[in-house]
Amino acid sequence: MSETSPFVVDADWLQSRLGTPGLSIVDASWYLPAQKRDARAEYDAAHIPGGVFFDLDLVVDVDSSLPHMLPRPGIFAQHASSMGISADDTIVVYDGPGFFSAPRVWWMFRVMGVYQVFVLDGGFDRWKAAGRPVTTEPTKIASGFFHANFDASRVASLADMRRIVETGESQIADARSHARFTAAEPEPRPGLRSGHMPGAKNVPYSSLSENGEFLPLERLVEVLEDAGLDLTKPVVTSCGSGVTAAVITLALESLRHRDHKLYDGSWAEWGAQADTPVVTGED
């Protein structure tokens, strides 16, 4: 049998543990406008029993004009506590399709010092289609105490990326679609140039899962290496606004690759600068 990610749990595993003390279930669904889905409305209409909604547009650095920037540790801790989540809980994160926005919230908990955090394979779409338990009842939230232990070494800044592009000291893995990477399609956010950072490798986030399920480890290796990554060397993950970059981060962590960061500003920051180098085409 193929070896699977240690950070992914299947629906049987989760269903058998519903209601277990110390288990926190987090609906981290978030969608681009083009997907025409309303994550909060879908949560209100049906969610996994015990699940709380994690709003990726709310749990952010409110002092930044960029989307989805990681909040300060104390602010993250306040949000997590208000959701009834403690740092020593076992946390299972899910989204609709499986591996779109959930890995971002998985990464956020990881970077804040939580290691018993997992992503639900297949997502809520498959959970619901299989007739597994759902509810419309609001989850009763007990008070939680979340203490963040922030690991800044896992986050790359604009200054870091300028240096990396200049020196080549780390590989850059871009999770956007190939059309956005090459500038064949424009960016969905206004005011951004199209293209990618010099030297970046394109690893579309969708290439790392199939039918809502995360690829087994040997296939993750194939996808990443076929994209041109050397898994013995450092990697920085990037995307449009720091969300789907975490799908690549999840793949790297699953393969026990430890020397990587996530560029939190991603293309929303790089593509908006007047002086950052941008490459179009296949590079």
Side-chain angles (χ1 to χ4, degrees):
M1 180 178 289
S2 297
E3 189 177 357
T4 58
S5 170
F7 305 111
V8 173
V9 296
D10 64 26
D12 288 341
W13 185 97
L14 180 57
Q15 186 171 342
S16 70
R17 289 164 174 79
L18 292 180
T20 302
L23 174 69
S24 286
I25 302 171
V26 179
D27 185 330
S29 300
W30 175 87
Y31 301 105
L32 291 165
Q35 291 170 285
K36 300 188 187 323
R37 296 180 67 168
D38 184 326
R40 180 71 210 209
E42 289 187 21
Y43 170 83
D44 290 339
H47 54 269
I48 296 175
V52 296
F53 186 72
F54 188 110
D55 190 339
L56 268 168
D57 290 321
L58 179 65
V59 188
V60 296
D61 179 359
V62 296
D63 295 323
S64 174
S65 62
L66 295 168
H68 309 127
M69 292 293 284
L70 197 66
R72 295 190 301 277
I75 300 300
F76 184 89
Q78 289 176 21
H79 282 291
S81 297
S82 73
M83 288 182 268
I85 301 171
S86 299
D88 57 355
D89 286 349
T90 297
I91 302 169
V92 177
V93 186
Y94 71 87
D95 61 29
F99 293 92
F100 181 63
S101 56
R104 167 68 184 193
V105 174
W106 169 86
W107 174 79
M108 292 173 78
F109 278 110
R110 294 269 295 177
V111 84
M112 293 296 175
V114 178
Y115 295 100
Q116 286 297 110
V117 56
F118 306 92
V119 179
L120 175 64
D121 214 19
F124 186 64
D125 293 348
R126 177 169 291 192
W127 176 282
K128 189 165 57 173
R132 295 181 184 272
V134 300
T135 185
T136 60
E137 293 295 317
T139 296
K140 293 189 173 88
I141 296 176
S143 59
F145 175 73
F146 189 96
H147 175 73
N149 184 18
F150 178 52
D151 184 358
S153 71
R154 293 301 189 186
V155 187
S157 67
L158 176 61
D160 293 330
M161 297 311 298
R162 288 183 185 275
R163 187 185 68 252
I164 287 166
V165 167
E166 178 69 25
T167 66
E169 66 193 60
S170 180
Q171 302 167 100
I172 303 167
D174 190 324
R176 293 174 300 153
S177 69
H178 188 65
R180 287 173 64 189
F181 181 83
T182 60
E185 289 181 1
E187 285 297 302
R189 293 181 178 85
L192 299 183
R193 293 171 293 162
S194 297
H196 57 270
M197 288 175 264
K201 307 299 183 185
N202 190 207
V203 187
Y205 77 89
S206 58
S207 67
L208 299 170
S209 63
E210 198 169 77
N211 299 319
E213 295 181 355
F214 210 49
L215 296 181
L217 299 189
E218 68 270 17
R219 289 193 60 197
L220 292 177
V221 171
E222 289 176 7
V223 170
L224 296 173
E225 290 185 341
D226 285 350
L229 294 178
D230 182 340
L231 296 177
T232 68
K233 295 180 179 178
V235 179
V236 176
T237 64
S238 181
C239 60
S241 64
V243 174
T244 57
V247 184
I248 306 177
T249 300
L250 174 60
L252 293 170
E253 282 285 306
S254 299
L255 296 170
R256 298 178 178 82
H257 183 288
R258 295 292 178 259
D259 193 357
H260 58 262
K261 301 173 186 281
L262 187 150
Y263 175 27
D264 204 25
S266 281
W267 199 256
E269 183 173 48
W270 189 271
Q273 306 299 308
D275 62 343
T276 48
V278 170
V279 177
T280 59
E282 297 292 340
D283 188 23

